[in-house]
Amino acid sequence: MSRPFAEGDQVLLVDAKKRRYLVTLTAGGEFHTHAGVVAHDDVLGRPEGLTVRSSRGASMVALRPTLAEFVLKMPRGAQVIYPKDLGPILMLADIFPGARVLESGVGSGALSMTLVRAGAIVRGYEIREDFARRATRNVATFLGEEALERYVVEQRDVYEGIDETDLDRVLLDLPEPWRAVKHAARAMHPGGVLVAYTPQITQVVQLREELEAQGFGMLETIEVLNRGWHIEGQSVRPDHRMVAHTGFLTSARLLS
Ligand code: SAH
């Protein structure tokens, strides 16, 4: 359904060099770049995909940000999980509408907004109050205030325990995820899925030992490599640069 841009909307402005800027629209507002000033009023009331001109004549395309674009541009404190991993996490964790999910830590909320948008009911445990607040703000900015009916973050240490019971899924992005595994095993029902994101392979080894000790099975660990291609006229080849490493994804099922 086509919706013209309105006040309060997020807009992604993309310049000729494909640089992206995320802006919240306000009547009378101005967006300043090295390439001049874009008046918000030139975007307000108009459909997505339009081209606007800055005061210095540079053209920019205006689109609503996708979830992946928002994640890369939103205010961040902690390191976020990147879109290349967020998509596979939805499949590995088998996220479905109405799934009861415990997520810890929530950081800037990139994974949170991915889960909530896929329909999950998410309880977050985050040790830092400022991150808990920022993640909640980011989720509401991208998904709307009504998303907070399915997203609540508590400021607490997941290593000390999980109060929820009968959870469908547990998602961990923590320095020492193995310290939450025992609690996860008590908080989930058999058949539930646990997925952990860890940058280091040594973390994976320690995590998997604990998963097996606590009655999880069907352990899998993968990494996701994403190689872009440069396609321009006769020049058709893989990009010279790629992100070589982000993190490992480990999934497991709770057995009875
Ligand atoms: N997945 C998040 C990023 C999480 S970064 C995203 O996509 O945006 C890791 C987070 O775990 C940090 O915010 C950190 O404060 C939090 N954390 C670390 N130890 C914790 C603990 N014991 N309990 C709860 N949160 C913790």
Side-chain angles (χ1 to χ4, degrees), residues 40-111:
H40 292 201
D41 290 347
D42 289 349
V43 177
L44 283 166
R46 300 184 61 192
E48 271 189 87
L50 78 150
T51 300
V52 286
R53 277 196 177 276
S54 77
S55 56
R56 289 215 244 130
S59 27
M60 291 191 145
V61 173
L63 288 161
R64 286 199 170 81
T66 63
L67 173 55
E69 287 160 344
F70 187 77
V71 160
L72 297 177
K73 290 290 171 197
M74 70 186 187
R76 314 190 216 165
Q79 177 68 51
V80 297
I81 298 183
Y82 277 81
K84 81 164 176 73
D85 295 307
L86 292 170
I89 287 173
L90 284 183
M91 278 293 134
L92 287 170
D94 191 38
I95 299 301
F96 56 90
R100 295 185 59 235
V101 177
L102 186 286
E103 182 199 354
S104 187
V106 304
S108 309
L111 178 57

Side-chain angles (χ1 to χ4, degrees), residues 168-190:
D168 296 307
R169 309 290 184 246
V170 171
L171 294 180
L172 304 175
D173 179 3
L174 293 160
E176 300 176 298
W178 49 90
R179 293 177 63 190
V181 166
K182 182 174 60 190
H183 308 309
R186 271 193 233 109
M188 291 164 87
H189 60 72

Side-chain angles (χ1 to χ4, degrees), residues 93-137:
D94 191 38
I95 299 301
F96 56 90
R100 295 185 59 235
V101 177
L102 186 286
E103 182 199 354
S104 187
V106 304
S108 309
L111 178 57
S112 303
M113 57 187 69
T114 305
L115 298 170
V116 172
R117 190 154 86 155
I121 302 165
V122 179
R123 172 69 54 154
Y125 284 11
E126 167 57 54
I127 204 158
R128 282 187 51 171
E129 203 215 332
D130 52 339
F131 287 176
R133 250 184 290 119
R134 187 195 314 256
T136 306
R137 256 316 91 214

Side-chain angles (χ1 to χ4, degrees), residues 197-255:
Y197 172 94
T198 46
Q200 322 270 352
I201 198 67
T202 45
Q203 292 171 302
V204 172
V205 174
Q206 204 162 344
L207 171 66
R208 290 179 62 122
E209 276 170 16
E210 183 64 5
L211 285 167
E212 281 176 339
Q214 298 294 336
F216 286 85
M218 310 196 42
L219 274 54
E220 307 236 15
T221 298
I222 65 160
E223 58 180 319
V224 178
L225 303 182
N226 210 331
R227 189 168 71 156
W229 279 60
H230 170 93
I231 299 181
E232 212 178 274
Q234 293 305 303
S235 168
V236 180
R237 52 160 177 80
D239 285 337
H240 291 308
R241 291 161 195 271
M242 65 188 277
V243 176
H245 180 66
T246 53
F248 300 99
L249 305 178
T250 299
S251 60
R253 305 288 303 269
L254 184 62
L255 309 179

